[in-house]
């Protein structure tokens, strides 16, 4: 008799029941079962944190980057960057097995006995147990590649727990009857069961789930996912509810998920009242979702028999002005996050009232929230992207008490820092006793009186105590080595704008007998009293103005290090010169290595079994480096440390004084110090054919004896097998600009001459990080050479590029001088962190900015941010800044008489998917965000707000492509287009704080003199809906103001400006101009609007008002000046045309005029977005005379409303004046173009 393999159903069931009991009653157990908290960082890496562990474990098997995960105790679901859903099932001692079965049916006949010849009314020969479905053996296939067959088909020879006879057959009178294992005289039919097992093999790995519904593949990929519902029903075992949201806002429900089918069977679409962006499912019957408009919907009718529910109910957002973006539900709680990152708690939630009763605002700002087991809450902070746990959540206090950060390292961080801490100890030993051979002979001679004896200092012991005997050294153990530090590597460490994980700390040595520098460093070291630590830091080697470079190479030195209970021992070297060693503070490294603290994007606690009484080691965990530092510093008492410092300082002071007295008659050995930073880049060649060429790039800097700093940039290249080079002096560099490029990380270097040519030195770095390093280094060097330090002054000029980068320029007193102002191309611009669309300022120091998403920001007084870190950035007043903007592409079609409008155009037509010009192909698939800093936050959608209007489907029609479009079809329209938009988001840092809650499209601040006292400061703005607003409470102490005052209008506005004497001018969206009357300090909003006629057949776009001048720009780029302005008639009389091809205009407190111009002629081509200055502006000549060209192109906005430097008065010589000793020369003017021709087409 053939015995069938025994099944494991009973064992599997026992294991599952035990697992379920532990999951249900874990809060009552003394030893709580280990469970996992899942999270995804911003790089798409998935980590899990065990309740019994102290570090994040990375899922090494994850090949793709993940967007988000949702976890339960037995598995974790996730959405990868390809928008497909993946499943990670936790492995178990009992594998997941599923039994496939089919029945072989036979009927008896007198000729053949039992055979497969059945009656026409009989069931199939191979069928299911009911006989209604045809199931031959070859019809059984694996559900997916995540399964495997355990073996071949075999016959089940058991029946009711007893073995059958004759190959497993069971008999009956007819098919729909009772079967027995014994054959009887009336047994006319028989059947037997065939069995085959399949095993789920994809455990502890990410398995792809097929995106197929009952009717075939799903129409669009997924964007969000949530798993729960295990408390709805216990049958089938391990039943789960999985809800998903597609990119088109549809909701899908995954059917058939249970223990024996962890992947489920298929997707079923759920009807919706609107487009959904995010969904959350609790353990029971609680399901909430967030609509695209910011409202929330609740699923009702979820039962055991119908887990999908029956209907939706809409719930308003907690904040009507900021819609909801995220929701998280548990057993009896609902948490939400709105667009302003505020956290909200829904009260009154129960199984009888899934909608709740109201919202309660909670403390904290999060980007997302997740509710896990026992209604415990997890979140990711929007400030530092750290995972936070809500403490104090109990059944009686579901909202909890406070947020606490989960502070544990990731796997790999501890391993890397264990070696880093060891090498740091060696470097610390070298600080006291390492061998250093300096270039100065005098330094070596100055220590001869002490002989070869060297002090051996043991951490934890007093310096005056005798040194202990060194332990024996194993000759087989390699000796630790101090890395050889060259000037290049030292430069990289000193001016790096990020903390880099490195194998050991770097030691710095100051060259030669520079005695004054040594005394300064000794005094500073004594004043700061640095405590002994383990990692060398050059932060105390000098002040901000000291040299940041070293031109001395440290020779390799060896130290023997032994760590014992008492501390650390360092062996003495043969020679040492304290006079040639620069002292540095020893400090602790950051615990997260290369990318520092982890930045998290998503967290899921659905499988994490914790409660308020759980004892977790997540909030006080320290890395191996931290513990090693603490263990070595515990034995040092304060008294010993103070005595030690004092003794060392006295000895060093005596030696310094002795060397100064003995060698003060010698001349200074080094008049200036020189240091070099080198690298390899690619250079966009100046001559044709233009192409990228590999070059060597070097920055040579030097400082003179008086502390002045300067440098030279060298660019070495080969041409016709001949080595050549370009060079540029640092003090001649006018601006460093990051350049947008799809394939390279490029930046441009402008000098005054190259500004005239519109042809900068364009370089490309290998990585974005390397490009930012060079930009930060060059920026600091340029600012140092010009003596620019700290935040921008109140008089600074602000500008914004088309990329959103912010630049400032410190004006010279002669910038607005007449007749010889400072040339525009010699102005130096340096970058400030942040990202804005426009910025406005005044001479009192109030600066406001507006982002691409209309978010309002106020300047905090800091400097730096973004890639400008370290010495190039302030330590405070730097905040996280975000911006969102839309990327647009156009779908083009042409009409033909056969098929109508299709995407088949003429050979001369533009691309059927293109940009606005039609010259570049832009499809949905190949269009990327503007730069790697930007990330998509929405899918492509039809834009109905395009100028000219659209039809119901978003199409615009025209007779041909390069003509104007309209929103309705006519008989003469043979082409059409529609615009698609997709939002992307940028996160950076800068000296900006958000001013909530109204989004703005334009802002203006009153220009005034530097010595003026204006309290409060008038500030006007226009909201993104076209409302005119006046800000109240703006002062120097409160630059953000206190509240908004709405100013009524008959139509929406788009541009506004306030000038001297509270003159307020505005432009409506229809292109008409308005003047606000009776605006004063007593009546900040004025009383009424006066309509000002626009220039003939022109629609105005932007306005700027100075002290007495009003300039506007129309939609065709023409610049207009308002004539006839007088105190008695401030509306003026008429418009006068000044120039064309103007994009923006800014009029300052001195009536100076600056513009952003297009189509400026350069040496190679026309330049768009160029900064230009109007020359010859005087009280009697307010229109000016000509243009002076400055930096460009690529600029989008400029404001000079903070520059109130009065031009120095220069007396123009008259013809009657006596001649000096020499021939008379005419006054020298710059070679500029005449009025009206400043910017040529």
């Amino acid at each position: 008799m053939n015995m069938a393999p025994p099944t494991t159903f009973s064992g599997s069931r026992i294991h599952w029941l035990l697992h379920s009991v532990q999951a249900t009653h874990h809060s009552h157990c003394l030893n709580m079962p280990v469970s996992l908290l899942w999270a995804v960082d911003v790089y798409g890496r998935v980590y899990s944190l065990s309740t019994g562990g102290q570090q994040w474990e990375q899922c090494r098997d994850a090949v793709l980057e993940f967007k988000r995960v949702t976890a339960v105790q037995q598995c974790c679901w996730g959405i990868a960057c390809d928008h497909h859903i993946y499943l990670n099932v936790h492995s178990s001692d009992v594998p997941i097995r599923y039994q496939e079965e089919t029945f072989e049916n036979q009927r008896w006949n007198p000729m053949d006995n039992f055979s497969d010849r059945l009656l026409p009314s009989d069931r199939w020969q191979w069928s299911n147990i009911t006989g209604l479905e045809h199931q031959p053996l070859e019809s059984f296939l694996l559900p997916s590649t995540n399964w495997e067959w355990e073996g071949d088909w075999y016959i089940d020879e058991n029946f009711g727990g007893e073995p059958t006879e004759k190959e497993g057959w069971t008999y009956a009178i007819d098919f729909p009857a009772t079967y027995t294992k014994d054959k009887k005289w009336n047994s006319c039919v028989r059947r037997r069961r065939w069995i085959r097992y399949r095993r789920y093999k994809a455990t502890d790995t990410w398995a792809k789930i097929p995106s197929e519904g009952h009717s075939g593949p799903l129409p669009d990929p997924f964007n969000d996912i949530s798993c729960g519902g295990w408390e709805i029903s216990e049958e089938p075992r391990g039943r789960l509810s999985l809800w998903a949201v597609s990119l088109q806002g549809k909701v899908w429900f995954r059917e058939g998920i249970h223990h024996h089918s962890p992947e489920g069977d298929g997707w079923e679409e759920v009807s919706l009242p609107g487009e959904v962006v995010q969904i959350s499912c609790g353990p029971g019957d609680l399901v909430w979702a967030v609509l695209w408009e910011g409202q929330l919907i609740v699923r009702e009718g979820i039962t055991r028999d119908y887990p999908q529910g029956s209907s939706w109910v809409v719930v308003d957002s907690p904040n009507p002005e900021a819609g909801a973006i995220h929701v998280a539900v548990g057993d009896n709680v609902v948490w939400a996050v709105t667009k302003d990152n505020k956290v909200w708690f829904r009260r009154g939630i129960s199984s009888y009232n899934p909608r709740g009763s109201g919202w309660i605002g909670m403390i904290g700002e999060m980007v997302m929230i997740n509710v896990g087991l026992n209604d415990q809450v997890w979140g990711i902070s929007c400030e530092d992207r750290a995972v936070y746990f809500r403490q104090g959540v109990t059944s009686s206090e579901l909202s909890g008490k406070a947020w606490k950060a989960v502070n544990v390292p990731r796997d790999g961080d501890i391993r890397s820092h264990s070696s880093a801490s060891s090498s740091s100890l060696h470097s610390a030993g070298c600080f006291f006793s390492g061998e250093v051979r300096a270039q100065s002979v005098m330094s070596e001679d100055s220590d001869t009186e002490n002989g070869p004896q060297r002090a051996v200092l043991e951490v934890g012991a007093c310096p005056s105590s005798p040194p202990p005997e060194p332990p024996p050294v194993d000759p087989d153990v390699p000796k630790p080595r101090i890395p050889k530090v060259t000037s290049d590597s030292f430069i990289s460490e000193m001016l790096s704008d990020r903390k880099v994980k490195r194998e050991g700390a770097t030691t710095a040595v100051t060259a030669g007998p520079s005695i004054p520098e040594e005394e300064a460093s000794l005094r500073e070291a004594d004043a700061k009293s640095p405590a002994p630590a383990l990692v060398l830091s050059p932060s105390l080697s000098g002040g901000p103005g000291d040299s940041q470079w070293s031109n001395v190479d440290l020779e390799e030195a060896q130290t023997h290090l032994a760590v014992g209970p008492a501390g650390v021992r360092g062996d003495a070297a043969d020679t040492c010169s304290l006079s040639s060693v620069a002292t540095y503070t020893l400090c602790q490294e950051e615990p997260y290595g290369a990318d520092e603290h982890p930045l998290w994007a998503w967290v899921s606690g659905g499988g994490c079994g914790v409660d308020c009484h759980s004892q977790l080691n997540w909030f006080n965990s320290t890395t191996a480096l931290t513990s090693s530092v603490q263990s070595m510093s515990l034995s040092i008492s304060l008294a010993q440390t103070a005595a030690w410092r004092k003794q060392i300082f006295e000895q060093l002071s005596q030696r310094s004084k002795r060397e100064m007295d003995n060698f003060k008659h010698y001349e200074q050995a080094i008049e200036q110090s020189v240091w070099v930073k080198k690298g390899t880049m690619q250079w966009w060649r100046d001559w044709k054919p233009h192409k990228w060429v590999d070059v060597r790039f070097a920055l040579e800097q030097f400082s003179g004896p008086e502390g002045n700093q300067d440098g030279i940039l060298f660019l070495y290249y080969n041409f016709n097998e001949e080595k050549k080079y370009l060079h540029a002096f640092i003090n001649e560099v006018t601006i460093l600009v990051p350049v947008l490029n799809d394939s390279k990380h490029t930046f441009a270097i402008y000098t005054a001459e190259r500004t005239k040519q519109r042809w900068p030195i364009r370089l490309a770095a290998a990585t974005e990080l390397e490009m930012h390093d060079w930009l930060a280094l060059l920026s600091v060097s340029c600012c140092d050479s010009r003596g620019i330090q700290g935040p921008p002054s109140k008089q600074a000029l602000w500008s914004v590029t088309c990329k959103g980068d912010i630049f400032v320029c410190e004006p010279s007193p002669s910038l607005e001088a007449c007749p010889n102002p400072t040339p525009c191309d010699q102005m130096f611009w340096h970058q400030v962190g942040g990202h804005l669309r426009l910025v406005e300022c005044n001479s009192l120091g109030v600066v406001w900015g507006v982002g691409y998403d209309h978010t309002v920001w106020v300047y905090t007084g800091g400097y730096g941010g973004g890639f400008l870190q370290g010495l190039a950035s302030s330590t405070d007043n730097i905040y996280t800044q975000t911006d969102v903007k839309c990327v647009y592409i156009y779908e083009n079609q042409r009409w033909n008489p056969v098929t109508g409008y299709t995407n088949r155009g003429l050979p001369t037509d533009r691309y059927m998917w293109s940009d606005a010009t039609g010259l570049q192909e832009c499809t949905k698939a190949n269009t990327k965000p503007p730069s790697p800093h930007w990330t998509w936050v929405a899918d492509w959608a039809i834009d109905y707000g395009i100028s000219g209007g659209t039809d119901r489907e978003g199409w615009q029609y025209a007779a041909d492509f390069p003509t104007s479009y309209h929103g309705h079809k006519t008989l003469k329209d043979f082409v059409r287009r529609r615009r698609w938009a997709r939002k992307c988001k940028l996160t950076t840092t800068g000296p900006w704080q958000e001013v909530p809650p109204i989004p703005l499209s334009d802002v203006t601040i009153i220009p005034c003199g530097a010595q003026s006292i204006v309290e409060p400061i008038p500030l006007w703005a226009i909201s993104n809906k076209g409302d005119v607003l006046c800000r109240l409470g703006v002062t120097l102490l409160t630059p953000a103001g206190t509240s908004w005052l709405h100013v009524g209008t008959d139509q929406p506005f788009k541009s506004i400006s306030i000038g001297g004497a509270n003159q307020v001018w505005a432009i409506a969206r229809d292109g008409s101009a308005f003047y606000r009357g009776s605006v004063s300090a007593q009546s900040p909003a004025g009383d009424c609007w006066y309509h000002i006629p626009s220039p003939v057949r022109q629609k105005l776009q932007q306005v700027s008002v100075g002290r007495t001048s009003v300039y506007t720009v129309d939609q065709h780029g023409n610049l207009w000046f308002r004539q006839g302005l007088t105190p008695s008639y401030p509306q003026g009389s008429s418009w006068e045309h000044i120039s064309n091809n103007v994009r923006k205009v800014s009029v300052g407190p001195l009536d100076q005029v600056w513009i952003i111009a297009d189509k400026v002629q350069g040496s190679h081509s026309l330049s768009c977005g160029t900064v230009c200055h109007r020359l010859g502006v005087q009280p009697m000549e307010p229109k000016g005379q000509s243009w002076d060209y400055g930096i460009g192109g690529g600029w989008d906005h400029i404001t000079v409303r903070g520059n109130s430097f009065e031009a120095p008065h220069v007396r123009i010589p008259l013809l009657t004046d006596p001649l000096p000793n020499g021939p008379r020369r005419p006054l020298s003017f710059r070679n500029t173009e005449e009025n009206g021709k400043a910017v040529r087409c």
Side-chain angles (χ1 to χ4, degrees), residues 198-220:
R198 52 182 167 91
R199 179 197 300 262
Y200 187 80
K201 64 179 181 179
T203 57
D204 290 337
T205 187
W206 292 100
K208 185 176 181 179
I209 305 300
S211 298
E212 295 182 356
H214 297 293
S215 59
L218 300 184
D220 56 331

Side-chain angles (χ1 to χ4, degrees), residues 38 47-48 116 177 219 311 467 487 496 660 690 793 879 903 912 956 1025 1052 1078 1108:
W38 292 78
Y47 290 82
S48 62
D116 54 1
S311 62
S487 59
S496 177
M660 288 290 292
H690 302 296
S793 66
Y879 302 93
N903 56 2
M912 292 297 99
Q956 290 185 313
K1025 296 181 180 180
S1078 303
T1108 59

Side-chain angles (χ1 to χ4, degrees), residues 86-99:
Y86 290 77
L87 172 64
N88 191 317
V89 179
H90 308 331
S91 61
S92 172
D93 294 336
V94 180
I96 299 175
R97 303 170 71 238
Y98 185 78
Q99 176 185 276

Side-chain angles (χ1 to χ4, degrees), residues 32 77 90 134 263 315 393 396 407 586 659 712 714 724 728 730 765 841 844 924 1014 1062 1087-1088 1117 1147 1211:
M32 187 173 57
W77 299 76
H90 308 331
H134 188 209
E263 298 171 295
V315 176
V393 175
S396 59
N407 184 22
L586 302 175
E659 291 183 355
I712 307 177
F714 289 98
K724 296 186 177 183
I730 285 293
C841 65
L844 299 179
K924 292 182 180 180
V1014 182
N1062 291 295
D1087 56 3
C1088 62
V1147 184
R1211 181 178 178 272

Side-chain angles (χ1 to χ4, degrees), residues 98 106 190 210 299 713 722 820:
Y98 185 78
Q106 291 185 353
R190 70 177 182 178
R299 190 66 172 171
L713 293 172
E722 183 180 355
N820 297 316

Side-chain angles (χ1 to χ4, degrees), residues 17 42 109 133 139 415 445 693 720 776 940 988 991 1026 1106 1171 1199-1200:
L17 291 175
V42 295
N109 66 72
E133 295 181 12
S139 66
R415 291 193 298 271
D445 294 341
V693 180
N720 293 333
W940 290 105
T988 182
V1171 175
T1199 177
V1200 297

Side-chain angles (χ1 to χ4, degrees), residues 1197-1214:
H1197 180 83
I1198 188 172
T1199 177
V1200 297
R1201 297 168 68 82
N1203 181 22
S1204 60
F1205 274 136
E1206 291 284 352
H1209 296 283
V1210 179
R1211 181 178 178 272
I1212 301 177
L1214 302 176

Side-chain angles (χ1 to χ4, degrees), residues 891-896 900-906 908-912 951 954-978:
E891 180 184 3
N892 307 302
Q893 291 186 352
R894 177 174 286 277
W895 182 87
N896 67 73
Y901 286 102
T902 64
N903 56 2
R904 294 183 179 180
L906 300 176
T908 57
D909 279 342
R910 59 181 58 189
Y911 294 101
M912 292 297 99
D951 62 7
W955 292 104
Q956 290 185 313
Y957 300 86
D960 207 350
F961 281 120
T963 57
S964 59
Y965 294 85
H966 45 268
H968 58 279
K969 183 181 181 304
T970 65
L971 295 177
K972 298 181 179 180
D973 294 330
F974 295 97
V975 297
R976 67 176 183 177
R977 71 172 187 180
R978 61 179 173 183

